[in-house]
């Protein structure tokens, strides 16, 4: 039997040549495969001088297809800090709750005098259980150590948050 005509578990007579539209249910996905992807890409400048975590507005909402899947969250941020001895902290919130500790997942710190904001790429990667099939919003938050301004996209660069649902 050709590979394209091998029946999937629990499905009879499915052939790649007979499926003209639609998708197979998530339950048929191979464990560890990506079921869906949601991404937010932004070029807009956002900043804070707050020493408590503050929402950036950079968020992704995803509705899990499986109650037991894993979410892989990847953040690629263009961060900056404007002051000597300034610190910037970055984290991810799920539905308004911080997924990391008091200082987040990633930190930038400057220890030299300079006249322009210090720019550095900030990368965050984590997994999180879907824990149901209700919509989940993941959002990037940031704060400063009370010195200077912490920002994203200082020079109209790009920052993104990508969420991938991984089949159980």
């Amino acid at each position: 039997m050709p590979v394209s005509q091998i029946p999937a578990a629990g499905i009879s007579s499915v052939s790649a040549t007979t499926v003209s539209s639609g998708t197979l249910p998530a339950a048929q996905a191979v464990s560890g495969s990506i079921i869906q992807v949601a991404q937010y890409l932004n070029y807009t400048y956002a900043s804070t001088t707050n020493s408590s975590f503050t929402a950036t507005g950079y968020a992704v909402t995803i509705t899990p297809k499986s109650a037991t899947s894993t979410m892989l969250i990847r953040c690629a941020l263009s961060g900056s800090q404007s002051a000597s001895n300034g610190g910037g902290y970055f984290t991810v919130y799920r539905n308004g709750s911080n997924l990391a500790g008091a200082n987040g997942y990633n930190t930038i710190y400057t220890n030299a005098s300079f006249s322009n904001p210090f720019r550095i790429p900030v990368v965050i990667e984590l997994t999180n259980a879907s824990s149901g099939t209700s919509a989940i919003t993941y959002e990037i938050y940031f704060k400063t150590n009370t010195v200077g301004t912490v920002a994203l996209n200082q020079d109209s660069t790009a920052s993104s948050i990508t969420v991938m649902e991984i089949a159980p």
Side-chain angles (χ1 to χ4, degrees):
M1 178 180 302
V3 172
S4 65
Q5 294 181 355
I6 296 174
I11 301 175
S12 61
S13 301
V14 172
S15 161
T17 58
T18 62
V19 177
S20 60
S21 66
T23 60
L24 293 174
Q28 299 304 317
V30 175
S31 180
S33 63
I34 297 172
I35 299 173
Q36 64 174 320
V37 177
Q39 182 181 54
Y40 179 79
L41 176 66
N42 193 308
Y43 296 89
T44 305
Y45 176 80
S47 67
T48 187
T49 56
N50 199 331
S51 61
S52 297
F53 277 118
T54 304
T56 62
Y58 297 14
V60 167
T61 299
I62 191 167
T63 302
K65 295 182 183 293
S66 171
T68 58
S69 59
T70 298
M71 300 298 182
L72 174 60
I73 302 104
R74 290 183 171 168
C75 304
L77 311 175
S78 178
S80 66
Q81 171 41 269
S82 68
S84 297
N85 299 315
Y89 305 89
F90 299 86
T91 193
V92 176
Y93 275 57
R94 174 189 167 135
N95 295 338
S97 295
N98 189 354
L99 293 176
N103 288 326
Y105 284 105
N106 208 323
T107 303
I108 59 175
Y109 185 77
T110 61
N111 62 0
S113 296
F114 51 87
S115 59
N116 292 313
F118 178 73
R119 295 154 178 84
I120 190 164
V122 177
V123 177
I124 300 171
E125 184 170 283
L126 65 135
T127 59
N128 184 249
S130 63
S131 302
T133 55
S134 297
I136 303 168
T137 299
Y138 293 100
E139 184 171 3
I140 300 164
Y141 277 61
F142 57 179
K143 69 178 182 176
T144 183
N145 66 343
T146 70
V147 178
T149 300
V150 174
L152 292 173
N153 304 338
Q154 180 72 36
D155 300 307
S156 299
T157 52
S159 290
S160 67
I161 179 171
T162 304
V163 179
M164 293 171 264
E165 183 177 2
I166 310 299

